[in-house]
Amino acid sequence: MDGIYIEPLQRYFEKYYTTDLGQYKFDKTECNTCVHNAANYNLFAEHNGCGHCTNRKCLEAKNAAHVAKETEKLLKSDPKLVVARPYYGSRNDMALQKLDKKGHEIKELDYNVSAREFPKAPEAPKKEQFTQTKEYEQAVQTFERRNEEYARKVEELDRMKEEGRIKTYVKVGQTEPELCYVEINRKETAPVTIGTLQERDKRFKQLSIEKTVADTKKIVRENDYPESSFTQYEDGMVYFAMLAQLQRRHFPLFGIKDQPFALDEKQRMKIVAKLTDTQKTVIKRDFISHFLCENGHGDNNASKLLRDFANMHFPDQYGLVKATHEEEYQKRHERLEERIKEMKKAEKKAAREAEKQQTTEKTEKKTTAPKTEKPESGKAA
């Protein structure tokens, strides 16, 4: 009974709740005495190899650290090597993240790019593994044939690499890094030089800044501001933003003449560094003017504020504009009032005529209606 139930339960436990440590390449000295190693507490008293790990998080961390370390060894062996992240196939994403954080270049391969693994050297047979001499000799012959094929493939790939027909990468596998190569169009191939590496460095710096800015936007948008006083530096930020709406006719006030386009960021930063009260006033009023002009429509609040703003600073011009349009409105209003008055008169007249017509019709009906004769009294019916 024990054998019937224990063995299936053991296989189920090891398959779904443990991981075979023998599949991993990292140093497992610590695992030999670890409490999470099933070999150290296996209730079924049987285990294979190094045992099975029940702490998957620890296992993945150790494995990723090992794979990343081995990958760095390969990269140091050839400065031109680059880590590749293939579109297809398994990869160790945790190890890739470690390499990315350390600043290693990671090439994203498109879905239509096939990354092929370099051939691996065949393993020579060991005589002690065979019981018969003939079997061992056959294994040696097979090994020699495969080793020759391996040497030919390596030689061919080296030649293709020198000719620029393939590009070599390091693929970060699940348990170890592997060299792989991609066939490329010779016309599109450019040799790796110090200049190209420096250009890559510039691009990586740019990407670093772009990613930092993107994450910073999330921080600013998603968090509440801590309670604190508004600083002078923040005040400068406000003016930097408002300067984007500075009118060109005010450029000379800031030492800028004959510039047909808006201020660029360098000019705005330079202006913000040294602002006078007069300049601050102009900047704020230009910003208010731009905002109210853009958002003032009909009789909304922005429109009312715009009119008040104009009346404060340009009372004569605003007064003339207002009077002109109000006078125009008044004339139209009076004409419409006259038309309304005439229409009301016509409606009343029509109503009286209709009423008169109804009265006449009623009178005519009474006049033309036939009279009924009453029978004489005393006569027989």
Side-chain angles (χ1 to χ4, degrees):
M1 180 176 178
D2 291 342
I4 295 174
Y5 293 101
I6 290 178
E7 289 183 8
L9 182 60
Q10 178 182 2
R11 290 195 297 270
Y12 180 85
F13 179 78
E14 291 180 349
K15 181 177 180 181
Y16 293 102
Y17 294 97
T18 66
T19 305
D20 185 4
L21 289 168
Q23 299 176 0
Y24 294 86
K25 313 294 183 182
F26 61 84
D27 183 9
K28 292 177 279 291
T29 302
E30 294 181 358
C31 302
N32 293 334
T33 57
C34 180
V35 295
H36 298 292
N37 188 345
N40 296 325
Y41 63 86
N42 195 333
L43 299 176
F44 310 108
E46 291 183 3
H47 63 84
N48 297 320
C50 301
H52 291 77
C53 180
T54 58
N55 188 343
R56 185 173 293 275
K57 188 175 181 180
C58 175
L59 176 66
E60 290 177 351
K62 285 182 178 292
N63 181 53
H66 168 76
V67 174
K69 185 177 179 180
E70 292 300 312
T71 302
E72 287 185 308
K73 288 181 181 179
L74 281 175
L75 295 174
K76 287 180 181 179
S77 67
D78 184 355
K80 294 182 179 180
L81 273 178
V82 175
V83 177
R85 194 199 308 266
Y87 191 86
Y88 297 107
S90 63
R91 58 178 184 257
N92 193 318
D93 288 326
M94 188 180 292
L96 282 167
Q97 289 175 3
K98 288 180 176 292
L99 293 166
D100 188 31
K101 287 181 179 179
K102 287 187 175 182
H104 292 290
E105 179 183 359
I106 298 177
K107 174 71 174 179
E108 301 283 348
L109 300 182
D110 295 334
Y111 69 93
N112 58 348
V113 176
S114 176
R116 301 179 181 179
E117 294 181 6
F118 269 83
K120 295 182 180 180
E123 187 176 349
K126 296 179 181 179
K127 193 172 184 179
E128 58 270 19
Q129 295 175 335
F130 299 88
T131 56
Q132 296 182 10
T133 305
K134 188 175 181 180
E135 290 180 353
Y136 171 68
E137 291 175 351
Q138 290 177 347
V140 170
Q141 291 176 359
T142 302
F143 164 74
E144 290 175 348
R145 185 178 68 255
R146 290 178 178 175
N147 198 41
E148 289 177 1
E149 292 175 359
Y150 165 76
R152 282 198 301 270
K153 288 181 180 178
V154 170
E155 184 180 356
E156 182 182 359
L157 289 172
D158 287 340
R159 185 174 64 254
M160 293 174 69
K161 184 179 178 181
E162 291 176 2
E163 294 173 354
R165 293 162 57 193
I166 62 172
K167 173 69 176 176
T168 309
Y169 294 100
V170 179
K171 184 172 71 171
V172 180
Q174 288 291 349
T175 59
E176 61 182 343
E178 299 172 343
L179 285 176
C180 65
Y181 65 93
V182 173
E183 293 185 9
I184 51 181
N185 189 336
R186 191 170 183 178
K187 294 180 180 179
E188 299 175 355
T189 304
V192 177
T193 63
I194 294 176
T196 57
L197 294 178
Q198 289 174 338
E199 287 299 319
R200 287 181 188 176
D201 183 62
K202 290 180 182 178
R203 177 54 183 158
F204 293 153
K205 179 63 176 177
Q206 185 180 7
L207 286 173
S208 173
I209 295 172
E210 290 174 359
K211 291 178 180 179
T212 302
V213 171
D215 289 341
T216 303
K217 288 179 180 179
K218 292 180 182 178
I219 294 172
V220 172
R221 288 169 176 166
E222 296 173 3
N223 290 278
D224 292 329
Y225 305 114
E227 187 174 348
S228 61
S229 301
F230 198 77
T231 65
Q232 186 176 356
Y233 190 46
E234 288 175 298
D235 198 51
M237 294 178 188
V238 174
Y239 284 108
F240 175 82
M242 291 192 295
L243 272 168
Q245 310 305 333
L246 185 69
Q247 298 182 39
R248 290 182 180 83
R249 56 194 175 88
H250 292 147
F251 282 9
L253 180 62
F254 299 86
I256 301 171
K257 298 179 180 179
D258 302 325
Q259 180 170 304
F261 48 86
L263 299 176
D264 59 33
E265 290 189 343
K266 289 183 179 179
Q267 289 175 315
R268 285 152 61 189
M269 287 296 290
K270 186 177 179 180
I271 291 171
V272 167
K274 192 176 181 181
L275 281 172
T276 65
D277 290 340
T278 302
Q279 290 173 330
K280 289 180 180 180
T281 300
V282 171
I283 292 170
K284 287 186 283 190
R285 284 176 176 166
D286 272 3
F287 180 80
I288 292 172
S289 172
H290 173 80
F291 179 84
L292 296 180
C293 287
E294 288 293 318
N295 295 280
H297 305 289
D299 199 31
N300 65 0
N301 287 327
S303 170
K304 293 175 182 177
L305 291 173
L306 174 64
R307 284 173 277 171
D308 291 341
F309 181 77
N311 191 40
M312 280 192 292
H313 301 291
F314 316 105
D316 294 339
Q317 291 172 274
Y318 175 72
L320 178 60
V321 168
K322 183 180 179 183
T324 300
H325 293 299
E326 285 187 348
E327 182 181 358
E328 182 181 353
Y329 162 73
Q330 191 62 34
K331 290 178 181 179
R332 290 178 176 177
H333 174 70
E334 289 174 357
R335 284 196 294 269
L336 290 174
E337 285 293 319
E338 289 176 2
R339 291 179 63 185
I340 292 171
K341 187 176 180 181
E342 292 298 325
M343 289 177 69
K344 285 182 177 180
K345 287 181 180 179
E347 287 176 356
K348 288 181 179 180
K349 182 179 180 181
R352 288 196 300 270
E353 290 179 353
E355 185 178 357
K356 184 178 179 181
Q357 181 67 25
Q358 289 177 358
T359 303
T360 303
E361 289 176 354
K362 288 180 180 179
T363 303
E364 289 178 353
K365 285 181 180 179
K366 289 181 180 180
T367 304
T368 58
K371 295 181 180 180
T372 55
E373 295 182 358
K374 294 182 180 180
E376 293 181 4
S377 59
K379 290 185 178 182

